[in-house]
């Protein structure tokens, strides 16, 4: 009898732990694992993704799709091994089934496969490298940002439309950096007179400046995200290159935070983005108003917008099927059949569950308040998807 009682107690405890209800019968909050980079030069990127995601929950009284939501946040420190360990603990110790937040492609490559292998959902609010878009696509992997190549392709298309005949290319030496350079080349038809790769923790670009000066390009394309972009642009101006060699970048290299940090050194730089804070649609207006009400004059980056959109995506799926939070197959079916709002305006998934979206030309200008602002000037690419979707053999929904 004693052992029967022990087994009965253990079984009851296990069932209570597994069920999404507390002992009083109330439904427990949905836990969402947000693994991101919160420290180091790129720390503000993860902070913005985190705060954008949380803002969408706050606007809905702490809920997503009608269910109470709790975001469990951990800093990966831009270390793939850290992210892998964090994901493992969230899966095994907290039973988390929905993840988001990773900033860098090399970090995602270490953690996301484990998440998917453990029958959980991953929603990328930033990096989305080629393998996950093509042959390694997965029914439980969604992207609320872009496929990486869209950044370089849009910048290449803008440089081409501006009439430049030669370019020098700069990017960090990791998968996403190399993908970005190849994407730029895909749409820029001029001559590439130089190409160099930097480290992810590089702060001194003097050698790169000398290479650019020697190559004498008509335009420079650089992909240096976060604090790297701040350092690069400052040194570019200090080297006297900004007045002689214009730049075309993607907003990963010049966003609202880096523009404020750099100041006048950013004025005149052309860039591309899938989002800007001046977009005129109801979802974006609500997002911008809520951000400014909570954070005052803190700049609003596209990272925050992508975090916000990731939360809206989760909410749309749960609103369609409230029970799908614990069933990735049901969640996928719900998301793909839902009307997903987005700060970008109309939102549509391609066959690999990456966005099909427009890309815009922006320009850094001095605003009436004396600060540097990014102004949308036109469209560069319309309903743009990615070339890897054709390689994705996704099972039917």
């Amino acid at each position: 009898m004693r052992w029967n009682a022990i087994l009965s107690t253990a079984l009851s405890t296990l069932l209570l732990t597994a069920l999404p209800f507390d002992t009083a019968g109330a439904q427990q909050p949905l836990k969402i694992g947000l693994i991101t980079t919160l420290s180091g030069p790129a720390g503000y990127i993860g902070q913005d993704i985190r705060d954008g995601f949380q803002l969408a929950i706050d606007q809905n009284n702490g809920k997503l799709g009608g269910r109470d939501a709790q975001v469990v946040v951990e800093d990966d420190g831009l270390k793939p091994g850290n992210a892998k360990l964090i994901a493992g603990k969230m899966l095994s110790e907290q039973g988390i089934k929905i993840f988001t937040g990773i900033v860098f492609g090399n970090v995602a490559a270490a953690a996301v496969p484990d998440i998917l292998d453990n029958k959980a959902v991953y929603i990328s609010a930033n990096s989305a490298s080629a393998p996950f878009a093509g042959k390694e696509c997965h029914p439980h992997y969604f992207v609320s940002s872009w496929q990486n190549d869209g950044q370089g392709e849009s910048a290449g298309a803008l440089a081409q439309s501006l009439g430049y005949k030669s370019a020098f290319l700069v990017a960090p030496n990791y998968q996403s950096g190399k993908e970005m350079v190849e994407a730029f080349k895909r749409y820029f038809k001029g001559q590439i007179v130089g190409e160099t790769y930097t480290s992810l923790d590089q702060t001194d670009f003097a050698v790169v400046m000398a290479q650019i000066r020697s190559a004498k390009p008509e335009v420079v394309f650089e992909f240096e995200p976060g604090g790297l972009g701040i350092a690069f642009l400052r040194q570019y101006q200090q080297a006297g290159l900004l007045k002689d060699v214009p730049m075309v970048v993607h907003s990963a290299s010049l966003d609202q935070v880096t523009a404020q940090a750099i100041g006048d050194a950013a004025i005149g730089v052309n860039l591309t983005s899938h989002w800007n804070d001046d977009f005129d649609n109801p979802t974006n207006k609500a997002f911008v108003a809520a951000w400014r009400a909570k954070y005052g004059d803190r700049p609003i980056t596209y990272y925050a917008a992508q975090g916000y959109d990731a939360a809206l995506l989760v909410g749309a799926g749960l609103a369609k099927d409230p029970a799908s939070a614990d069933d990735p197959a049901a969640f996928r079916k719900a998301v793909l059949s839902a009307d997903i709002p987005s700060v970008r305006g109309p939102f549509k998934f391609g066959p690999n569950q990456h966005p099909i979206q427009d890309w815009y030309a922006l320009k850094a200008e001095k605003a009436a308040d004396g600060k540097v602002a990014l102004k949308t000037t036109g469209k560069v690419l319309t309903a743009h998807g990615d070339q890897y979707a054709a390689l994705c053999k996704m099972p039917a929904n």
Side-chain angles (χ1 to χ4, degrees):
M1 290 297 293
R2 180 172 175 270
W3 284 108
N4 286 341
I6 292 173
L7 288 171
S8 177
T9 300
L11 181 60
S12 298
T13 301
L14 178 63
L15 288 172
L16 285 171
T17 302
L19 290 172
F21 297 89
D22 60 25
T23 54
Q27 191 175 42
Q28 295 178 359
L30 168 67
K31 289 185 177 180
I32 298 167
L34 196 150
I35 305 168
T36 195
T37 302
L38 298 171
S39 53
Y44 82 88
I45 298 177
Q47 293 164 22
D48 281 5
I49 291 173
R50 175 198 63 194
D51 294 346
F53 195 98
Q54 185 64 52
L55 186 62
I57 297 174
D58 294 344
Q59 281 186 290
N60 288 279
N61 300 313
K63 299 178 184 292
L64 283 178
R67 182 165 174 180
D68 289 338
Q70 176 187 349
V71 185
V72 181
V73 181
E74 291 285 352
D75 179 14
D76 58 42
L78 218 174
K79 295 179 180 178
N82 285 358
K84 186 179 177 72
L85 287 173
I86 292 166
K89 288 184 178 180
M90 286 183 173
L91 287 161
S92 63
E93 297 177 8
Q94 300 189 60
I96 292 175
K97 291 290 187 181
I98 299 176
F99 291 79
T100 189
I102 296 175
V103 175
F104 291 90
N106 58 330
V107 179
V112 171
D114 287 354
I115 292 170
L116 301 177
D117 288 346
N118 281 276
K119 296 182 172 57
V121 170
Y122 185 76
I123 299 165
S124 178
N126 197 60
S127 181
S129 61
F132 288 119
K135 292 181 179 180
E136 296 176 27
C137 67
H138 195 285
H140 303 155
Y141 178 86
F142 299 85
V143 176
S144 71
S145 50
W146 21 253
Q147 197 284 315
N148 282 359
D149 289 18
Q151 303 170 89
E153 288 170 345
S154 60
L158 179 58
Q160 182 68 24
S161 71
L162 292 173
Y164 297 119
K165 303 300 182 186
S166 64
F168 191 101
L169 315 181
V170 184
N173 189 21
Y174 75 121
Q175 182 171 339
S176 294
K178 293 176 180 179
E179 289 175 2
M180 209 73 67
V181 165
E182 292 306 311
F184 181 91
K185 293 176 183 177
R186 207 170 291 141
Y187 278 74
F188 179 70
K189 305 306 179 184
Q191 181 184 7
I192 305 301
V193 296
E195 182 176 324
T196 192
Y197 293 93
T198 60
S199 65
L200 271 172
D201 59 356
Q202 189 162 334
T203 57
D204 185 348
F205 297 97
V207 172
V208 179
M209 302 303 161
Q211 291 172 333
I212 293 170
R213 194 182 304 279
S214 176
K216 299 179 180 178
E218 290 189 11
V219 68
V220 166
F221 168 69
E222 59 94 353
F223 166 60
E224 296 288 348
L228 302 177
I230 294 174
F232 189 94
L233 269 168
R234 280 178 175 164
Q235 291 171 43
Y236 196 81
Q237 184 198 42
Q238 291 165 1
L241 287 167
L242 193 61
K243 59 183 177 58
D244 298 324
V245 187
M247 299 180 70
V248 170
V249 302
H250 173 262
S251 51
S253 300
L254 183 62
D255 59 34
Q256 283 81 353
V257 166
T258 55
Q260 296 306 315
I262 297 163
D264 289 353
I267 293 174
V269 174
N270 290 292
L271 62 148
T272 59
S273 185
H274 61 313
W275 172 87
N276 197 21
D277 55 10
D278 62 7
F279 278 14
D280 186 10
N281 66 71
T283 303
N284 192 54
K285 285 183 174 180
F287 163 61
V288 170
W291 181 276
R292 287 178 176 157
K294 185 170 184 177
Y295 295 111
D297 61 357
R298 174 179 167 187
I300 316 173
T301 65
Y302 76 93
Y303 303 111
Q306 289 168 181
Y308 187 84
D309 265 3
L312 294 184
L313 188 155
V314 173
L318 296 182
K320 195 80 173 180
D321 180 359
S324 67
D326 302 305
D327 182 348
F331 181 80
R332 178 184 182 231
K333 183 177 181 179
V335 166
L336 294 181
S337 62
D339 181 14
I340 302 171
S342 170
V343 294
R344 287 159 279 191
F347 186 95
K348 179 182 178 182
F349 275 129
N352 56 358
Q353 297 173 184
H354 288 60
I356 294 176
Q357 60 191 340
D358 298 339
W359 289 85
Y360 297 84
L362 283 60
K363 192 163 188 174
E365 301 176 353
K366 182 163 284 191
D369 61 2
K371 295 181 179 179
V372 177
L374 306 181
K375 300 295 184 183
T376 305
T377 60
K379 191 181 291 186
V380 178
L381 298 172
T382 301
H384 186 67
D386 64 84
Q387 65 173 356
Y388 308 106
L391 303 174
C392 173
K393 307 301 180 185
M394 193 80 75
N397 180 21

